Amino acid sequence: MPEGPSIVLVKESLQPFVGKVVLQAYGNSKIDQQIFLNKRLLDIKTWGKHLLLCFKGFTVRVHFLMFGSYTVNQRKEDRLVRLGLKFNRGEINFYACSVKVLDGDLNTHYDWSADVLSDEWDKKKARAKLKKMSEELICDALLNQDIFSGVGNIIKNEVLYRMNVHPESRVGEIPAIRLNNIIDDARMYSFLFLEWKRKNELKRNWQAHTKKFCENCGSVLIKSYPGKNKRRSFFCENCQKLYR
DNA sequence: TCCAATGTTTCGCC
DNA sequence: GGGCGAAACATTGG
């Protein structure tokens, strides 16, 4: 569920509710649920891993974290609903997610150019941000949502494998061309992820994530928890160059 | 059966 | 107050 492309698919699946009016809101989220009553769902957007339900004057941000889920027109019997929105025809239910209300103009809350899946994605800005953190390891930088909003651990592992760069490489030591390639591939792979996930063949296309062997050279892939983030990394010491 | 894990925020300590 | 790490949250597949 959680990486950016998966959230785009959630958005797509909820399109039938856009333009509809909320008749009832419920659930155990701490937000004031009165605010939804008789309000029209105007639009659904995403910013990286954030799902954004837009109403007049405010937006609800849903973040699925690791384990969040949702159902459409049905409920999970054995789960508490975090936030449910009932419409004239049908309902949306969110579970085990983070829910927050954002007031006013969404554009004051989000820099769309940081979202790797956005039309407004700006790789030059990503480049400039990376320049300011030359000591950072690339495995941490790729997970930085201010730079690569929407990139998660799977995308991180796959991009570094595809670009032949070791996760513990220092950003400032990676040659400019190669760093540019990583930036480009973060976006490119995110779209591949989206289409593979849509067709239910994402896992089949993983080359590094959770893999045992390098399909290029046959070496055993290293599994470790590098960097500040200490997130699971899979990489080939033979094919992925360490810059430091 | 158990454990790790597609994520992020908050809290406590130094 | 900053930096760091642990804890918290909560679900599912391997």
Side-chain angles (χ1 to χ4, degrees):
Chain A
M1 178 65 71
E3 303 198 26
S6 301
I7 306 306
V8 170
L9 295 176
V10 175
K11 176 180 78 174
E12 291 180 7
S13 76
L14 298 181
Q15 284 309 305
F17 295 96
V18 173
K20 307 291 192 237
V21 173
V22 177
L23 300 184
Q24 201 186 329
Y26 46 89
N28 64 2
S29 83
K30 284 170 282 183
I31 64 168
D32 178 8
Q33 289 159 8
Q34 299 294 101
I35 61 174
F36 298 104
L37 296 186
N38 303 313
K39 293 280 166 44
R40 192 177 300 276
L41 176 60
L42 298 176
D43 200 2
I44 304 178
K45 301 177 190 232
T46 62
W47 181 82
K49 301 163 190 172
H50 299 201
L51 178 70
L52 304 164
L53 308 181
C54 309
F55 295 85
K56 191 176 176 187
F58 71 94
T59 295
V60 189
R61 186 202 76 182
V62 176
H63 196 302
F64 291 97
L65 301 160
M66 285 278 239
F67 313 120
S69 62
Y70 74 110
T71 56
V72 172
N73 299 337
Q74 56 182 358
R75 296 208 194 167
K76 299 190 177 190
E77 293 303 329
D78 52 346
R79 294 292 155 220
L80 292 172
V81 175
R82 175 63 41 82
L83 177 66
L85 299 175
K86 184 171 166 21
F87 298 81
N88 192 9
R89 280 200 192 84
E91 63 186 39
I92 308 171
N93 296 301
F94 295 106
Y95 309 85
C97 53
S98 161
V99 174
K100 194 178 175 192
V101 176
L102 306 174
D103 290 314
D105 184 0
L106 246 201
N107 294 321
T108 65
H109 291 92
Y110 289 108
D111 173 8
W112 307 102
S113 73
D115 181 352
V116 293
L117 288 168
S118 169
D119 292 340
E120 296 179 46
W121 163 251
D122 186 337
K123 64 178 179 184
K124 288 202 186 97
K125 284 190 184 168
R127 183 74 227 235
K129 291 173 196 165
L130 287 174
K131 212 156 207 167
K132 289 185 188 162
M133 38 182 81
S134 56
E135 294 301 305
E136 200 88 344
L137 302 190
I138 190 64
C139 59
D140 288 326
L142 275 167
L143 291 174
N144 185 327
Q145 301 298 294
D146 293 329
I147 310 176
F148 298 104
S149 171
V151 169
N153 205 33
I154 296 171
I155 296 173
K156 175 203 81 179
N157 282 328
E158 293 297 311
V159 167
L160 290 175
Y161 181 80
R162 288 155 57 94
M163 297 297 106
N164 300 310
V165 174
H166 192 294
E168 293 175 84
S169 297
R170 285 209 191 279
V171 168
E173 301 299 323
I174 300 172
I177 293 174
R178 193 157 290 236
L179 192 57
N180 283 333
N181 288 342
I182 291 173
I183 294 168
D184 286 339
D185 204 55
R187 176 172 167 87
M188 179 124 46
Y189 185 81
S190 292
F191 280 103
L192 283 174
F193 184 123
L194 173 62
E195 293 315 315
W196 284 330
K197 177 112 185 170
R198 200 197 297 284
K199 291 185 281 186
N200 225 341
E201 56 185 45
L202 177 63
K203 277 191 190 179
R204 195 186 315 164
N205 283 289
W206 286 347
Q207 292 179 287
H209 192 74
T210 72
K211 294 294 181 178
K212 281 265 190 293
F213 302 102
C214 174
E215 61 183 44
N216 179 47
C217 75
S219 300
V220 172
L221 291 184
I222 307 292
K223 175 186 168 186
S224 67
Y225 298 79
K228 286 191 306 199
N229 281 306
K230 294 185 166 50
R231 299 297 305 281
R232 195 162 59 141
S233 288
F234 297 87
F235 58 94
C236 177
E237 275 187 316
N238 190 35
C239 299
Q240 292 172 250
K241 188 165 164 55
L242 176 59
Y243 299 96
R244 66 171 176 194

